[in-house]
Structure formats: structure tokens, C-alpha cells
Amino acid sequence: MAQSPDDHYITETSEIQAETESILIKHLPVDPDSPLPLQRAQHLQFLVRNLVQGFPSRYTSQDASQPWLLYWTLQSFSVMGVGMDPDNKQRAINTILAWQHPDGGFGGGPGQAPHLLPTYASVCALAIVGHPGPGGGWDQIDREKLYTFFMSLKQPDGSFLVSQGAEVDVRGTYCLLVTAYLLDILTPELLEGTPAFVASCQTYEGGFSSASQPYFCASVDDGAPQLLDDIRPPLGEAHGGYTFCALASWIMLQPYLHLQDPATQQPSVDYKRLLRWLVQMQGSETELGGFRGRTNKLVDGCYSWWVGGCFALLASQGVGGGHGQDADPTMTTHEDEEWEDVDEPVWNKVALQRYILCAAQHPSAGLRDKPPKNADSYHTLYCLAGLSAAQHNVYPSPARRAQVDQAWQSSSDSPNQELRKASFVEALCWSEEEGTARVLGGQVNRVNATHPVFNLTMTHTEGIMSHFYKQTVPK
Ligand code: FPP
């Protein structure tokens, strides 16, 4: 099979690209429809071993990632459909609660400063193993202090520092929004300016970068620098990881945007450019259809979720996936162009499953970036979540939306009722289109569907949200 075409100008990049393709192609099975089966038992053992051993000593820099290690493990279990016994769940809950900071938020380990990223990982891990009541983890989250912590990170341009004295980046925005959604602490005050910040991270390529920068120009009067509010160039290049965070944040911000005065101009995201960029991140046949995270870089199993997961998010806006009913026509800068409502996916879902099963599964256990690399818990989760995105068709169903909307009971006299309700409905209106899952290699390879915004199963999302919003979720 011919390698990807290039311009015959040999560079370090073109050499490593050619080498990667030559390795990957050897992993193509003789019968492309019969990939290696998903080695569930081995992956489980691998995850448990990693969790019990903790990070090896050469990874001391990862000490602040303890909540991540636990979340990657627990969510991998959930995607593979494996439950946990009550004792282990309780150990996990106690461990997570020890990461909660007395001033609110969660740190990367006991006694560590609170940070948005481990806060997301801790709260998601609690969504999986926790429950209401004493010792169950959910009611021990100090939501008031968490909200104060979130507000203390808020910047005038709507972005958030990831922790006190640290940088701004859209991963932090995503982590904060997921946490605020799950725990019912969303307010207009928290979200003000955030859509404009997220939209400003979209680059000329169509994907999103990590942040955007304030733009100054010399004043015409005295030459002093003046902040121009409406010009905020993205900082750095489009990247799959940031693109997922920005797009999922953008979807979470829709209820807030819909509640704004229609007469005021709202920020917008160019969906068409985004879709084109996402599609171009999928590797060729000689890359087995894996995804890369940025232009001219190598495919890597983790982008199966960071990029592969974006298609369901975009489809929820009526773009590229055929579920046009909920399209929001105000959210594209190309209002003059017509969208074609295609029912066929614009990306190759079968090819991605092949990449994950044949190249990303390590021959002994765990999943990885690409051969011949080692497996790790991060890649194990994001390959499995990507496999889920490639198998299932999860989208916001109008029928489900109506059902959740109808079941909503006004539960408090909170001034944020409208936003709370709209966000709750938006989060729980996703469902899987019956009979549309396409599993390469048969049912043995089937994994559970995962919520396209939160990367938790539907059951775990519903469980924690119904508790905090004090709502019964209709079945
Ligand atoms: C580049 O790595 C990777 C980054 C700059 C960060 C990517 C961001 C994510 C994966 C999203 C994380 C999301 C949350 C919710 C915390 P690289 O240069 O090694 O890889 P590359 O060559 O593939 O770009």
C-alpha cells in the first residue's frame, strides 16, 4: 500500500512520518473486518496494577496527577462495563476526599493546592464511585467553597486561571464547566464573558488553541497602550486536545447563550471550518485511520477521543452528522452558506476502531499512543473512549429533551432557575439512537456509550446530576 503523498523534501518530520506509517501498516489485519478482539481482562489487570503501584519513580512530576490516574482507571472500567465492589468504591471515595482543599476545589494529591484539572478528575471519579449520604463522597464536596474558588480564578475576559497565580487555558474552562454542571453551581456571574473567550481560541485552521491573548495598540492621543476588547488572536496552533475542551465548553455554554437578549450580538464559532479541520486530522489508510492532534504531526491513540469525540458534539449542533433537528443557525459565521444534511458520518468510524484494536492495543495489556510505544492509563482511557465514540451514535434527541424538560420540578427558589433548568435539560437530553451502533469485529468488542460532553457514562451523569439538582430523571 502506498504511503501518504509528500513533497519529496526530506525532513526529520517526513522521515518519522514515513517510519510511523511503515510500522502501522504491519498492524493491518489480513482480513480488515476481523481485527484483534478487545483484550478486556488484560486491560483491566493493567489498569489495576498501574493504580496500585502509582506512578513509577521516574514520573515524580506526575505526583500532582493522582486524581487523573484514578479517573482514567474508573472511567476505563465504566466504558468496558466493569463494576466495582463496595469496599473498593469506599477506598476510592476516601482517597478522593483527601484531595479536597480546605478552601475549596481539589488538588493533585493530599495537601496540594486546588487546581481546575484535578478538580474535574476528582468530581468525575466521585460521579462514578460516590453516592449521597455520609461517607458517600457527593455530600462531602464543599460546593460553596468550590464556587468561591472558581470565581477567584475568573479573569475580566471571561477566561479562568487553572489555579492561583497560574496560566489561563481552555482545558481549565472545560474542567470548571463540567464540574459546575454536575454539581449545580452554574450562575450567569460565573459564565459571563466565557463564550467570547472560548470562541476567540478558534484559529484560522478551524481547530482551537489553548487560549487567546489580549491585544493592545498605541492610543492615537498619547501613544499609551490600549486594550482592544474585540481583537483577541488565538495563542498558538489548533490542537485536538484544546479543540475538544473548547467545543465541549461551547456546547455547555449554549443554555446560557440562549438566555441572552436576542438583540445583543453574541460570539460565534465557525462550525464549517472546524468540521473541515477535524476531518483532516484523521490519518490515511497507511495510518490505519487513527487521528493526529495537529497538522503535520503523528497519529496518536489519545486523539481517538479528543478529536473523534468532537464529531458527536458537532452533530449535536446539526453539523456533519445528520442530526439536523437541533441545529443552531446563529452559531456560524457562514450564515450565507447552506449546510448539507448528510446522514453518513463524515469521518471513518470503522477505520478508527481498526486503529484502536489493531495498533493501539499493546500486545501484553493496556492501550497506547502507537506501536512500538508502551501502554499507560491515560492512553487506555482515551483509546477506549474513542472506541466508544466510533461505535455509538449519541446525540441530543428532541424526544428525550422534551421528556427531561417535562419532568423538571422547580426545586428551589434559586434566582438561577432558568439557567439551571436549561443546563440540566441540555446535559441529559443525549441518548443513543437505537440500533445504530456499529461494532467492528462483533459484540465482543462492544464498549459502553459515554457522554460526549463529560466523558462519563449516561448512568453516572444522570446519577450525580439528579442528586444535586434534586430531580428525578425519566427513564
Ligand atoms: C501536545 O503534546 C499536547 C498538548 C499541548 C496538550 C493537549 C491537550 C489535551 C490532550 C487535552 C487535555 C484535556 C483535559 C480535560 C485536561 P505533544 O506535542 O506531545 O503531542 P502532538 O505531537 O500529538 O501534538
Side-chain angles (χ1 to χ4, degrees), residues 68 71-72 117 120 169-172 174-175 210 237-245 291-300 302-303 306 369-370 373 378 382:
W68 282 109
Y71 164 69
W72 298 329
L117 272 58
Y120 160 89
D169 117 18
V170 76
R171 291 173 312 166
Y174 168 76
C175 291
S210 62
E237 66 183 302
H239 192 285
Y242 299 121
T243 298
F244 175 86
C245 292
F291 278 99
R292 68 188 83 252
R294 44 184 164 152
T295 306
N296 279 338
K297 299 282 319 243
L298 303 174
V299 292
D300 173 338
C302 73
Y303 300 120
W306 300 123
D369 164 348
K370 63 176 89 49
K373 297 204 178 196
Y378 163 85
Y382 293 109

Side-chain angles (χ1 to χ4, degrees), residues 18 26 72 104 110 118-119 138 143 178 283 298 319 328 357 369 379:
K26 292 189 192 121
W72 298 329
T119 296
W138 291 358
R143 293 188 302 151
V178 169
L298 303 174
V319 181
D328 182 344
L357 295 167
D369 164 348
H379 284 92

Side-chain angles (χ1 to χ4, degrees), residues 144-202:
E144 266 175 42
K145 284 189 177 160
L146 183 60
Y147 183 79
T148 308
F149 168 60
F150 283 174
M151 285 305 294
S152 76
L153 301 174
K154 189 159 176 103
Q155 300 300 293
D157 68 353
S159 64
F160 296 91
L161 302 175
V162 291
S163 73
Q164 286 307 337
E167 73 282 8
V168 157
D169 117 18
V170 76
R171 291 173 312 166
T173 307
Y174 168 76
C175 291
L176 178 146
L177 289 176
V178 169
T179 311
Y181 248 79
L182 296 178
L183 303 181
D184 187 16
I185 53 172
L186 286 165
T187 64
E189 177 196 35
L190 185 66
L191 304 183
E192 195 187 343
T194 307
F197 166 71
V198 172
S200 72
C201 300
Q202 189 171 25

Side-chain angles (χ1 to χ4, degrees), residues 67 105 129 138 172 205 295 302 305 317 322 337 344 350 402 448 469:
V129 290
W138 291 358
E205 286 191 276
T295 306
C302 73
W305 175 254
Q317 303 303 299
E337 294 178 43
E344 277 303 304
V350 171
N448 282 332
Y469 289 74

Side-chain angles (χ1 to χ4, degrees), residues 354-373:
R354 201 174 287 121
Y355 180 92
I356 296 166
L357 295 167
C358 302
Q361 288 199 93
H362 192 279
S364 19
L367 291 104
R368 59 186 169 184
D369 164 348
K370 63 176 89 49
K373 297 204 178 196

Side-chain angles (χ1 to χ4, degrees), residues 123-147:
V123 170
C124 287
L126 278 177
I128 301 171
V129 290
H131 55 86
W138 291 358
D139 295 325
Q140 287 74 56
I141 302 173
D142 192 329
R143 293 188 302 151
E144 266 175 42
K145 284 189 177 160
L146 183 60
Y147 183 79

